[in-house]
Amino acid sequence: MAKTVNRVAWEWAFVAITAFWGWSFSAIHFALQSLSDAAFNTWRFALAALCLLPIWLLRRTPLSRHDVVGGGLAGLALFAAFLLQTKGLRYTTASNASFITGLAVIITPLLAWRWLGITLGRQQLAGALLAAIGLGMLTLSDMQLRLGDVLVLGSAFFFAVHVIVLSRASKLADTLNITLVQLLVVAGLSAVQAGLDRSLLWPNLPTLLHSVLPIALLGTALGFFVQTRAQVGSSPNKIALIIVMEPVFGGLFGYLLAGDRLTLFNWCGALLIVLAMLLTEWQFGRRKAVPG
């Protein structure tokens, strides 16, 4: 019982993180007016790692092989996902990119079945399909295939890979250690990318205060710590469905803060995503947690 309560608490904490990620769209848009995508990712992940470093030093918990290998692989997948998503946005619409990235909710259970041997139940498949349909209704406006669509599809694959890797690695590694390794890997690779692009600039003060710092500390350091901890007791498919809540919160904060207005069709899509979450939760409430 205590384990179930603990699992549900971390899942709801992760839902709160996706709400912050939904808000962060407007902050990232502001930051990219003065920084390249590579520079933004560099400072975002570097500052997040710097935030966790003092805690790691005080705990004096050495990095294990599981921490380094699992965190390194998860960091590689995360870097690839952000890289392809950002580059893809140059060649496709934001709505197409949002929908295709959301296909990770379909890719994740397929990878979990292929790599982890997790059986796909009918309700699990129904929840994933319902979430994908809802995400399409929420964001999709143009189905024309573009080069960017292919790149963003690659990012969806790597976001799914990230969830799968963490599903296995988080159960064997220390949560803080593996989170720190992930952040350092993405920060380092993003810095290399920015260096090759000659775009590694320090953010100006408004960008630093309004975008980079809050996203680095709350959306990245705290965000990926919570995701990693939530995956200790949750299935990768449940985590993927929680992540799908991000565009729902993005639409809500866009309505409240940026003057965006969703149509009734869009809101119906958001409702389908919530229903998919409830359907999947009922399924996992009846079955045991996925073994590590």
Side-chain angles (χ1 to χ4, degrees), residues 19-253:
F20 183 87
W21 285 347
W23 166 84
S24 69
F25 281 120
S26 59
I28 293 174
H29 178 74
F30 174 76
L32 293 180
Q33 295 177 11
S34 58
L35 289 174
S36 70
D37 56 275
F40 174 78
N41 284 333
T42 298
W43 299 125
R44 169 185 181 175
F45 283 93
L47 290 173
L50 188 62
C51 173
L52 294 182
L53 188 59
I55 304 174
W56 179 75
L57 291 173
L58 288 173
R59 289 176 72 240
R60 297 182 180 181
T61 303
L63 294 174
S64 69
R65 181 176 63 86
H66 291 303
D67 298 334
V68 174
V69 175
L73 290 175
L76 286 172
L78 200 59
F79 169 75
F82 278 111
L83 173 65
L84 290 173
Q85 184 185 62
T86 305
K87 296 303 181 186
L89 279 167
R90 295 179 182 272
Y91 306 107
T92 190
T93 63
S95 58
N96 266 34
S98 178
F99 173 72
I100 295 170
T101 300
L103 289 178
V105 75
I106 299 297
I107 299 172
T108 298
L110 294 176
L111 294 182
W113 166 72
R114 180 65 181 84
W115 293 346
L116 303 181
I118 297 176
T119 302
L120 300 179
R122 286 179 297 177
Q123 289 177 248
Q124 192 174 1
L125 287 172
L129 290 173
L130 192 63
I133 294 170
L135 189 59
M137 293 174 64
L138 179 67
T139 61
L140 190 62
S141 62
D142 184 0
M143 284 297 291
Q144 293 181 353
L145 183 64
R146 300 177 175 85
L147 171 62
D149 294 333
V150 177
L151 294 174
V152 176
L153 180 60
S155 79
F157 173 82
F158 281 107
F159 277 123
V161 170
H162 178 251
V163 172
I164 295 296
V165 170
L166 273 187
S167 179
R168 173 77 61 178
S170 63
K171 297 172 176 62
L172 302 173
D174 179 83
T175 300
L176 180 63
N177 286 0
I178 196 175
T179 302
L180 182 61
V181 172
Q182 286 182 81
L183 300 182
L184 290 173
V185 168
V186 180
L189 292 176
S190 297
V192 171
Q193 179 193 354
L196 293 175
D197 294 342
R198 298 182 179 180
S199 62
L200 189 57
L201 302 176
W202 180 253
N204 57 46
L205 187 59
T207 300
L208 179 67
L209 295 179
H210 298 153
S211 298
V212 177
L213 275 179
I215 292 174
L217 301 183
L218 298 179
T220 308
L222 181 61
F224 286 108
F225 177 85
V226 170
Q227 179 182 353
T228 302
R229 184 60 185 81
Q231 291 205 221
V232 172
S234 301
S235 84
N237 310 309
K238 179 65 179 297
I239 294 298
L241 278 170
I242 293 176
I243 291 174
V244 174
M245 290 296 294
E246 181 181 337
V248 177
F249 287 117
L252 177 62
F253 283 112

Side-chain angles (χ1 to χ4, degrees), residues 248-269:
V248 177
F249 287 117
L252 177 62
F253 283 112
Y255 178 88
L256 295 175
L257 303 177
D260 295 342
R261 292 295 178 264
L262 296 179
T263 65
L264 178 61
F265 185 75
N266 298 145
W267 283 116
C268 287

